Amino acid sequence: ERLAEMTESKRRNKEYGAQMKQKLLDLQKTAEAKILDLQKKNNQAEASFKNKLSEAEKAKATVISDLEERLAEMTESKRRNKEYGAQMKQKLLDLQKTAETKTADLQKKIENLNNEKSAMESKYKQETDPLKIRNFELNEELKKKTAENQELLQYVSTLLDKRDQN
């Protein structure tokens, strides 16, 4: 009767150990899947940020190029204005006002682009920080479950050793 009880206890312990081992494997798979998902989201956010930053850099370069072209035109116009006299001097003043306006506009655009970049960096940080925290929490949970499973496996092993001794 005692042997039958011990045999039944051993069977239940093996079954429980197998269940715990499967739960541990399931938890590990879930954690790995969540980690991969977080990495994918992080990569997408980074790519989006780099795209927008690249677009902003291109726009900035275009505006600077346009301004440089306009400045070259103004210089040539100034030379001609000296040749044509007072009427051309007035046109030069008009062009200088346009250049100042465009320069101010460019500075505003650059400032806006820098503000947009800062906002995107802040948003990126806000989006990734919770993901990093959740990843840490999941890792801690996995460690805890792994430790619990180790304890259960140790307990089962001790029971099996005691049974074998008896």
Side-chain angles (χ1 to χ4, degrees):
E1 187 180 309
R2 179 70 179 135
L3 180 60
E5 286 175 12
M6 287 175 60
T7 302
E8 178 61 21
S9 175
K10 180 180 177 181
R11 186 195 60 75
R12 284 192 312 265
N13 286 342
K14 279 185 180 180
E15 186 177 300
Y16 184 73
Q19 288 173 355
M20 290 302 109
K21 190 173 184 179
Q22 185 58 47
K23 282 184 181 180
L24 175 60
L25 290 173
D26 292 345
L27 282 173
Q28 286 174 327
K29 286 179 184 176
T30 300
E32 288 170 2
K34 286 183 180 180
I35 288 169
L36 289 175
D37 187 50
L38 292 173
Q39 288 173 340
K40 181 179 176 184
K41 286 179 182 176
N42 186 38
N43 289 342
Q44 288 171 344
E46 256 184 11
S48 173
F49 172 76
K50 287 179 182 176
N51 252 354
K52 288 186 180 182
L53 186 59
S54 174
E55 290 172 12
E57 293 286 344
K58 287 177 186 175
K60 180 179 172 182
T62 301
V63 170
I64 289 172
S65 175
D66 290 349
L67 184 59
E68 288 172 348
E69 279 183 32
R70 187 71 177 134
L71 185 58
E73 291 171 9
M74 286 174 50
T75 303
E76 179 61 21
S77 178
K78 185 176 179 181
R79 185 191 61 75
R80 282 192 312 258
N81 282 345
K82 285 183 181 179
E83 294 174 6
Y84 295 121
Q87 186 181 9
M88 291 295 120
K89 286 182 182 179
Q90 186 57 47
K91 287 185 179 182
L92 176 61
L93 291 174
D94 293 342
L95 286 173
Q96 286 173 335
K97 287 179 184 178
T98 301
E100 289 170 3
T101 302
K102 289 210 177 234
T103 301
D105 289 346
L106 174 62
Q107 288 174 344
K108 286 180 185 177
K109 285 180 182 178
I110 290 170
E111 184 178 320
N112 288 342
L113 289 172
N114 285 334
N115 289 342
E116 193 173 305
K117 176 185 171 190
S118 295
M120 288 167 57
E121 288 172 344
S122 176
K123 183 179 177 187
Y124 171 77
K125 184 171 176 27
Q126 288 174 355
E127 287 177 358
T128 56
D129 282 352
L131 296 176
K132 288 177 184 174
I133 290 169
R134 183 62 182 143
N135 189 26
F136 175 78
E137 290 170 354
L138 288 171
N139 282 335
E140 289 302 315
E141 224 179 275
L142 180 61
K143 287 177 189 175
K144 183 179 174 185
K145 295 292 183 183
T146 302
E148 289 174 7
N149 285 342
Q150 283 300 108
E151 289 175 15
L152 288 171
L153 289 173
Q154 184 63 40
Y155 176 72
V156 169
S157 177
T158 302
L159 289 175
L160 291 174
D161 287 347
K162 284 182 181 178
R163 191 217 51 204
D164 289 342
Q165 289 173 1
N166 289 337

